[in-house]
Amino acid sequence: MPVVFVAASKLPTPFATFTMNGFLEEATGREHVVLSLGDIADGAPVLGRVHSECLTGDALFSQRCDCGSQLEAAMRAIAREGRGVLLYLRQEGRGIGLMNKIRAYELQDGGADTVEANERLGFAADQRDYAICLPMLEHLGVKSLRLMTNNPRKVKALTEMGITVAERVPLHTGQNPHNKLYLATKASKLDHMMGNEHQGEVDRA
C-alpha cells in the first residue's frame, strides 16, 4: 500500500516536543501522522501506539469511548520514556467514517451495542486496515515495537505483516459511567484484553 512521506516538523505538546511526520496514502487520499520522540532507529524495541482517529473522543472529549484517554496516556508514556512513536491513523469509527459513526451512535442510543450498531449499518464490527503502518515504520527505521494496546487483533495484524511486537503493554484508562457497556462489548465481542481494572495510565505487561 503506497504511503508517501510528505514532511516533518516539531510539535510542542504539554507532554513533550514530538517530531510530527506526515504521510499521504495515495490510494485513498487519507493523511496520516506519526509522532516520534528520541532515537527510534537504533534497532531496540520502541514504545509505540497505533491509534485510529476518533474525533469525538480525541478532540470533543466524548465519554462514550476510551479513545481520548488512551491517546493522552500513550503520549504521556512516550514522553516519560523519552523515546517512542505514535501512529495516528485516519480510520474514524473503526473504519466506517464519521457520518456512519454518528448513525451508529444513534442506534446505540436506541439500545444496540457498538458491534450490533456497525453490523446493522452493513459494516463489519471492525474495518480498520493496519497495512499502512509498515511503510511508515520502515521510513522511520523502527524494527520492533513495545505496543501499547488492549487489542490482540492489532498485535496479530502487525505481526503478520512483518512488524516485530516484542511486548504488549496494556493501556487501561478512561472508564466512566457512559462507556461501561462499550468497554464490556470490546472485551466480549472484540476480544480486547481489558484486565480487572480500567483505571490508571499504562501498566506494563
Side-chain angles (χ1 to χ4, degrees):
M1 180 177 294
V3 178
V4 178
F5 172 73
V6 177
S9 68
K10 297 300 180 185
L11 183 70
T13 75
F15 320 116
T17 297
F18 294 88
T19 298
M20 181 170 60
N21 304 273
F23 294 87
L24 175 65
E25 187 180 341
E26 291 185 312
T28 63
R30 289 177 178 169
E31 299 164 329
H32 308 282
V33 165
V34 179
L35 301 185
S36 61
L37 184 66
D39 183 3
I40 58 174
D42 61 2
V46 177
L47 183 64
R49 164 85 178 154
V50 176
H51 188 92
S52 295
E53 178 182 32
C54 176
L55 176 70
T56 49
D58 298 342
L60 301 179
F61 311 104
S62 171
Q63 293 194 318
R64 297 185 73 133
C65 63
D66 55 347
C67 302
S69 294
Q70 287 189 321
L71 177 62
E72 181 176 340
M75 292 178 70
R76 286 185 182 276
I78 291 170
R80 285 197 303 268
E81 187 108 343
R83 177 177 178 269
V85 290
L86 188 143
L87 286 71
Y88 194 88
L89 309 182
R90 307 296 297 279
Q91 301 190 117
E92 180 73 53
R94 293 201 298 274
I96 68 174
L98 181 59
M99 294 300 104
N100 284 321
K101 179 180 178 177
I102 297 173
R103 293 186 179 100
Y105 276 173
E106 184 176 39
L107 292 173
Q108 290 173 43
D109 289 344
D113 66 35
T114 181
V115 169
E116 293 166 347
N118 276 28
E119 292 174 343
R120 287 184 194 177
L121 292 173
F123 299 108
D126 191 340
Q127 300 202 157
R128 288 174 291 183
D129 183 354
Y130 298 108
I132 53 177
C133 297
L134 181 60
M136 292 191 287
L137 290 171
E138 287 180 338
H139 176 85
L140 296 170
V142 176
K143 307 290 187 184
S144 175
L145 288 174
R146 293 169 46 233
L147 187 66
M148 291 182 279
T149 185
N150 305 322
N151 185 354
R153 298 183 186 189
K154 190 179 293 184
V155 175
K156 183 174 184 287
L158 296 182
T159 301
E160 287 179 347
M161 71 180 68
I163 298 169
T164 299
V165 179
E167 179 186 5
R168 183 187 72 84
V169 181
L171 193 59
H172 297 154
T173 183
Q175 183 186 30
N176 67 75
H178 302 284
N179 66 16
K180 186 176 181 180
L181 174 61
Y182 169 81
L183 295 178
T185 302
K186 286 210 297 186
S188 64
K189 293 189 176 182
L190 297 174
D191 302 322
H192 285 220
M193 302 171 74
M194 306 306 294
N196 295 322
E197 299 290 338
H198 299 302
Q199 300 297 330
E201 289 189 357
V202 177
D203 302 317
R204 296 298 171 86

